Amino acid sequence: KAGVTQTPRYLIKTRGQQVTLSCSPISGHRSVSWYQQTPGQGLQFLFEYFSETQRNKGNFPGRFSGRQFSNSRSEMNVSTLELGDSALYLCASSFRGGSLGNEQFFGPGTRLTVL
Amino acid sequence: GEDVEQSLFLSVREGDSSVINCTYTDSSSTYLYWYKQEPGAGLQLLTYIFSNMDMKQDQRLTVLLNKKDKHLSLRIADTQTGDSAIYFCAKGDYGQNFVFGPGTRLSVLP
């Protein structure tokens, strides 16, 4: 069974631009969660999608958005990029979502650098 | 609050046991997890424990939970160089998202 894939793996953008990251979950998984990982803030939850609906959201500004398609693939978008958005963005998929006894499988991440 | 705390660094000699500690502040947590992150990779779930358990063992890994002190530990027996990584403690509860600790960087010295 293929793992979680994320594209692209690396991305360089400039301030003010927008970016779209993609995540393909493990086949059969309906939940996709997104995380931001930085040296200063650690691993922070962005949002979770389940069956095309946003089920939970972290404490990030509205510039961060996401969506999920009928095949469970998910995209996240960051508009008006700021230097502080430079981070590793991780996607995780699971069968039923939530954090209660849930086995999440993480992708390798997209490394975003904002210049 | 929902803080999860960990010490940031740990060094051990190859063959010794490693003990990585974690404390959490929110008493409503019902599941506690340990993840491993190797350089350039995402997180890999190692094990998790339900809060009504005191201990869980899986091959070289032993998880101990002290509910009264809100203290979780991960013991790795016979630590190998391949165990060098960052280890994250995380907690989860009904209707809540995961909350991760800052991670403990384990260095295994030959």
Side-chain angles (χ1 to χ4, degrees):
Chain A
K1 201 183 243 189
V4 179
T5 58
Q6 292 187 245
T7 55
R9 290 294 311 277
Y10 302 92
L11 207 47
I12 299 176
K13 292 284 188 179
T14 56
R15 278 182 300 175
Q17 287 187 306
Q18 75 161 19
V19 68
T20 300
L21 312 181
S22 180
C23 172
S24 292
I26 291 172
S27 177
H29 284 189
R30 295 184 293 171
S31 167
V32 173
S33 295
W34 288 91
Y35 295 85
Q36 182 195 65
Q37 186 177 23
T38 60
Q41 298 298 317
L43 203 66
Q44 293 188 291
F45 172 80
L46 279 155
F47 28 66
E48 179 194 6
Y49 286 86
F50 186 89
S51 293
E52 301 180 67
T53 301
Q54 188 181 89
R55 196 154 78 168
N56 208 350
K57 189 176 188 304
N59 190 25
F60 277 83
R63 299 186 297 108
F64 291 81
S65 63
R67 59 178 175 168
Q68 187 179 33
F69 302 95
S70 58
N71 62 357
S72 294
R73 190 177 71 84
S74 176
E75 290 181 346
M76 69 162 279
N77 185 76
V78 188
S79 63
T80 320
L81 283 166
E82 300 177 1
L83 295 178
D85 297 334
S86 294
L88 180 68
Y89 289 88
L90 292 165
C91 160
S93 82
S94 65
F95 178 70
R96 55 185 179 83
S99 64
L100 210 63
N102 183 26
E103 294 193 41
Q104 289 189 115
F105 295 83
F106 281 79
T110 294
R111 171 78 60 189
L112 172 64
T113 302
V114 182
L115 303 176
Chain B
E2 297 186 345
D3 287 341
V4 177
E5 301 290 338
Q6 299 176 242
S7 52
L8 298 181
F9 301 97
L10 176 66
S11 289
V12 300
R13 293 234 172 251
E14 192 172 13
D16 288 350
S17 291
S18 308
V19 179
I20 302 170
N21 295 301
C22 170
T23 57
Y24 56 98
T25 58
D26 185 356
S27 62
S28 65
S29 301
T30 55
Y31 280 89
L32 295 146
Y33 303 79
W34 284 105
Y35 284 86
K36 175 184 180 183
Q37 185 178 33
E38 297 183 78
L43 275 68
Q44 173 196 355
L45 177 65
L46 292 176
T47 186
Y48 63 93
I49 189 168
F50 185 52
S51 59
N52 70 351
M53 298 168 64
D54 297 323
M55 186 184 93
K56 183 178 180 181
Q57 187 156 4
D58 184 2
Q59 299 182 332
R60 293 191 298 122
L61 305 180
T62 302
V63 177
L64 294 176
L65 175 60
N66 181 326
K67 292 181 285 294
K68 175 174 168 290
D69 294 338
K70 299 187 182 61
H71 180 268
L72 182 75
S73 67
L74 173 70
R75 179 178 180 269
I76 305 173
D78 187 25
T79 312
Q80 303 297 307
T81 54
D83 295 323
S84 293
I86 301 176
Y87 290 81
F88 291 91
C89 168
K91 66 184 187 75
D93 200 357
Y94 179 76
Q96 304 296 316
N97 50 274
F98 284 90
V99 177
F100 285 82
T104 299
R105 184 179 294 275
L106 174 65
S107 299
V108 182
L109 309 173

